[in-house]
Amino acid sequence: MRISTTIFLTDETITPVRLARELEERGFAGLYLPEHTHIPIERATPYPAAGIELPREYGRTLDPFVALGQASAVTERLELGTGITLITEHDPIALAKQIATLDHLSGGRFTLGVGFGWNKEEAADHGVEWATRRELGRERMALMRALWADEPTAYEGDFGVSVRASHAYPKPAGGAPRTLIGGAAGPKLFAQIAEYADGWMPIGGRGLTQSMPVLREAWEKAGRDPKTLQVVPYAVLPNPGKLAHYEELGCEEVVLQLPPGDETEVLGVLDEYARYLP
């Protein structure tokens, strides 16, 4: 099982360049970065972790694509990904170009983690109607795939999402990057995963024993090859039993959570995590 990592990189943490070099030298498989454009001060949305104040790093995150571009430039094998891209907070035409460029320049190392967010105020500042954000995200993914197609392909959705048939280069390696959708288990999420993604990125990895058979059923009903489904537990605080359980369930990659700390703190945790490397 491949061991990757995620971290809230900020203006106060270890730098993307230093972290990426250390990860590759130590044999970690990948680096995934989260995204928040901003965190409104006046908000009604509670932080999903019950009873805990929103951590400082949420309002200080680096742009993941800029940071991953730096990581790409100083590594050759390290996989790069978002965990997750808030797809409804982007212009999809511009986002398609960012993704294709990063995947092209990194030699096909990019994984697109997609999510729909939890902070209503953040989304509202981007003009997102909360009740229909999943449908909007689905259409924006379809538009990006149209731009990544081999031949100029038009797309028109129901939420004002459209693009003319266009020349759009570079293309991602393989026609589109590996796409994983993050979110809590449920029929709506699993239907979208089965429709247009390569798999699921469950936060923390809890409840997989019960959830994975349900996802597999939705996947196969959609006519997808059961052998191709990928489930990547994300932001995991590891222990040997937990990782062994994921491997027994068929997970081929797990993403371990690093603290949003300085160089000394983060490298110390990497030293601890080294025992989990294959």
Side-chain angles (χ1 to χ4, degrees):
M1 187 167 62
R2 301 191 307 278
I3 305 296
S4 296
T5 60
T6 185
I7 182 175
F8 277 86
L9 285 179
T10 77
D11 56 323
E12 299 176 327
T13 67
I14 188 172
T15 67
V17 166
R18 182 77 167 111
L19 177 58
R21 283 175 168 156
E22 287 287 340
L23 289 171
E24 183 159 274
E25 288 176 6
R26 293 163 183 254
F28 287 90
L31 171 63
Y32 292 77
L33 298 181
E35 174 180 50
H36 283 285
T37 55
H38 66 300
I39 299 293
I41 297 298
E42 296 182 6
R43 60 185 178 85
T45 310
Y47 178 46
I52 302 175
E53 286 295 318
L54 184 68
R56 173 184 176 87
E57 60 266 19
Y58 276 72
R60 307 185 74 97
T61 55
L62 302 184
D63 178 278
F65 291 97
V66 175
L68 289 170
Q70 284 199 330
S72 168
V74 297
T75 57
E76 296 180 352
R77 302 176 304 280
L78 189 72
E79 297 292 321
L80 310 164
T82 52
I84 46 73
T85 296
L86 295 166
I87 190 170
T88 60
E89 297 184 4
H90 290 268
D91 176 293
I93 298 173
L95 181 60
K97 175 68 77 172
Q98 284 180 282
I99 290 168
T101 300
L102 179 55
D103 196 59
H104 169 72
L105 293 177
S106 68
R109 288 187 276 152
F110 180 67
T111 290
L112 174 61
V114 173
F116 309 104
W118 59 267
N119 191 309
K120 294 181 181 180
E121 291 73 40
E122 178 184 358
D125 283 348
H126 287 278
V128 176
E129 183 69 34
W130 190 253
T132 56
R133 72 194 188 284
R134 292 180 184 274
E135 291 76 14
L136 177 62
R138 173 182 175 275
E139 291 197 355
R140 290 188 173 178
M141 275 299 309
L143 182 149
M144 292 198 298
R145 289 185 179 275
L147 288 172
W148 296 333
D150 289 337
E151 298 296 329
T153 303
Y155 177 79
E156 184 169 359
D158 297 325
F159 290 86
V161 178
S162 64
V163 68
R164 296 173 176 85
S166 304
H167 297 293
Y169 290 87
K171 305 293 185 184
R178 180 175 72 147
T179 301
L180 304 172
I181 300 181
K188 288 185 179 180
L189 183 79
F190 288 173
Q192 285 199 307
I193 292 171
E195 180 185 357
Y196 63 79
D198 297 297
W200 183 28
M201 186 182 279
I203 303 295
R206 295 179 181 175
L208 287 185
T209 302
Q210 295 76 31
S211 299
M212 284 183 65
V214 180
L215 174 57
R216 287 195 181 102
E217 182 179 0
W219 185 265
E220 293 180 30
K221 281 185 177 179
R224 306 290 298 271
D225 182 350
K227 296 179 180 179
T228 63
L229 174 62
Q230 301 179 49
V231 176
V232 180
Y234 187 79
V236 171
L237 296 175
N239 61 60
K242 187 185 294 185
L243 298 189
H245 177 59
Y246 295 153
E247 195 160 19
E248 289 171 0
L249 290 174
C251 300
E252 297 181 356
E253 180 181 11
V254 63
V255 182
L256 307 186
Q257 182 70 60
L258 294 171
D262 61 18
E263 185 171 309
T264 300
E265 181 181 7
V266 172
L267 296 186
V269 175
L270 288 183
D271 289 339
E272 296 174 17
Y273 286 175
R275 63 186 175 130
Y276 300 117
L277 293 173

